[in-house]
Amino acid sequence: MSQSNSIKLPNMSNYWMPFTANRQFRSMPRLFKAAKGNYFTSIDDRQILDGTAGLWCVPAGHGRTEIATAVGNQLLTLDYAPAFQSSHPLAFEAAERVAAYMPEGLDRIFFTNSGSESADTALKIALAYHRVCGNPLRNKLIGRERGYHGVNFGGIAVGGIAGNRKAFGNGLAGVDHIRNPLDIAKNAFTKGVPADGGVALANEFEQRILTLHDPSTIAALIVEPMQGSAGVVVPPAGYLKRLREICTQYGILLIFDEVITGFGRLGTKFGADYFNVIPDIITCAKGLTNGVVPMGAVAVKREIYDAFMEKSPAGAIELPHGYTYSAIPIACAAAIATLDIFAAEKLEDRAAGLSAYFEQAAHSLKGLPMVKDIRNIGLVAGIEFEVIAGKAGAMAFATYLKCFEMGIHVRFTGDIIAISPPLTIEKNEIDRIFNTLADAIKSVAAAGEVGLDASNYLKNEQAWAMQQSL
């Protein structure tokens, strides 16, 4: 690694980093300066294998010339067009392309700028749909424990991660949650989808929530097909299908948050395709533009859209909602170019073809110190550690730092390491990810208490930070 006196750090005083321990980061800054293919280049010119596809959002690999060219050309042609009461042709082309990529029937597309905005948009569409249909009492929203639906107030209300909500007081009223499907006691180290318990777990939705609230007051249920941000929670067989049946029976809209599971992550276009369950609404973002330009989308069934068009007064704005940057031209160009790459390279099929190899590599970590569970589906895996009393998350964070030292970028969340590489990953790179992760786990565990101390890692980064403060 480079010496500290050869590294020039940016002024880190002004940028308030999201979802980051800012003081800790400034003490050992982990900075990337370039990316290509499946690799980042760190600020000291090391090649860091991207084991997380950015933040789940670069399925086609970094530095795709096709996307960069499309965005650059679009900037020189039409950089911006107002989204309200006017538009531009590329917005309609992008919507047509996204609609064609969606499961059959979800072909009306509302563009947003992120997964958080997509979640809030879907919730608003659900509430407004029931109102326009003459059912204003359907105003309750149901989420799921450990669910993640972004960070806007609607998303954190239906989300089920306490740490994302407790700092912000009361969110939306009329929200409840169902139990999450993780059952380590029964399903630890399951390869892929757990076989048992799915229908019974889904039936709790009917038994607990519907009895408590009355089904005629519930607007929508929102779930992730696979819970990613909570640490890769894979639903048991039959679970999502049974939720679909219950929602259909009681007139409740079913929303799939596919911000993570969309665009090939499970080896299919969407989680809806993987589980063969079609929701009423799908939210997506991240892989939609390969992470190049912020963009999200909400796809709804045609009958939902038609209800707004047919039941709203003539000349009225059917849905009073939107964003300044909805369908901004450069995002549309990036989305179309990304979908072209998926079509040409068949990335979903590629992910499906690698999934068995990836699964075997992930489960090779079974038996290592502190490893409590391994969960996988498609090209995503979660490795959960035993909780250390008084030091929640310390094992995962130390393992993340050790992996970074060893040239692999992984993601930690609580006591879990998540792996979700670009769909362009090669088998030898899968081997490198999990072999490095194994070495990191063994190294951290062998060091005991010292191994859990973050200050024992990234000594060069600490030296750079110290030099900057002088």
Side-chain angles (χ1 to χ4, degrees), residues 97-363:
R97 292 292 303 277
V98 172
Y101 193 80
M102 287 286 168
E104 186 176 357
L106 285 94
D107 59 2
R108 296 297 184 263
I109 311 300
F110 192 102
F111 284 119
T112 70
N113 305 289
S114 68
S116 294
E117 289 184 359
S118 291
D120 276 31
T121 296
L123 297 175
K124 291 176 77 173
I125 288 174
L127 292 169
Y129 166 75
H130 290 298
R131 184 171 292 273
V132 80
C133 290
N135 299 306
L137 292 181
R138 283 194 181 271
N139 54 19
K140 293 186 177 72
L141 300 167
I142 309 299
R144 188 166 59 180
E145 296 171 357
R146 296 183 67 163
Y148 181 76
H149 305 292
V151 296
N152 292 344
F153 271 102
I156 63 174
V158 295
I161 300 177
N164 292 350
R165 297 191 291 174
K166 65 182 181 181
F168 309 111
N170 294 330
L172 297 181
V175 174
D176 209 335
H177 296 78
I178 59 176
R179 186 158 63 97
N180 84 83
L182 181 61
D183 190 344
I184 293 179
K186 292 182 179 179
N187 296 319
F189 300 102
T190 294
K191 294 182 177 180
V193 176
D196 300 321
V199 173
L201 182 63
N203 282 338
E204 289 188 12
F205 174 43
E206 183 176 34
Q207 296 160 358
R208 296 169 57 195
I209 299 298
L210 297 183
T211 301
L212 177 64
H213 291 293
D214 186 321
S216 66
T217 68
I218 298 176
L221 168 67
I222 181 169
V223 298
E224 303 152 90
M226 179 275 298
Q227 293 173 259
S229 294
V232 187
V233 178
V234 182
Y239 173 74
L240 293 174
K241 181 180 180 181
R242 180 61 185 141
L243 286 183
R244 170 72 278 180
E245 292 171 350
I246 294 168
C247 286
T248 300
Q249 179 182 352
Y250 292 103
I252 298 166
L253 295 183
L254 178 60
I255 304 170
F256 276 4
D257 185 329
E258 299 240 29
V259 172
I260 284 176
T261 52
F263 301 98
R265 177 55 51 193
L266 305 188
T268 54
K269 292 178 179 179
F270 287 94
D273 301 305
Y274 185 96
F275 291 101
N276 194 28
V277 176
I278 307 300
D280 301 294
I281 300 174
I282 282 179
T283 69
C284 65
K286 292 190 184 292
L288 174 58
T289 61
N290 203 45
V292 170
V293 181
M295 191 183 205
V298 179
V300 305
K301 285 185 174 178
R302 190 177 307 179
E303 50 265 37
I304 295 175
Y305 174 87
D306 288 347
F308 284 91
M309 299 303 115
E310 295 168 2
K311 298 178 183 297
S312 300
I317 295 174
E318 298 89 2
L319 182 67
H321 172 73
Y323 304 97
T324 300
Y325 301 107
S326 289
I328 187 172
I330 58 169
C332 293
I336 292 168
T338 299
L339 289 171
D340 284 343
I341 291 171
F342 268 85
E345 299 182 11
K346 301 186 185 305
L347 291 180
E348 307 92 348
D349 293 342
R350 193 176 194 284
L354 285 169
S355 62
Y357 191 89
F358 182 88
E359 175 179 271
Q360 181 179 6
H363 282 271

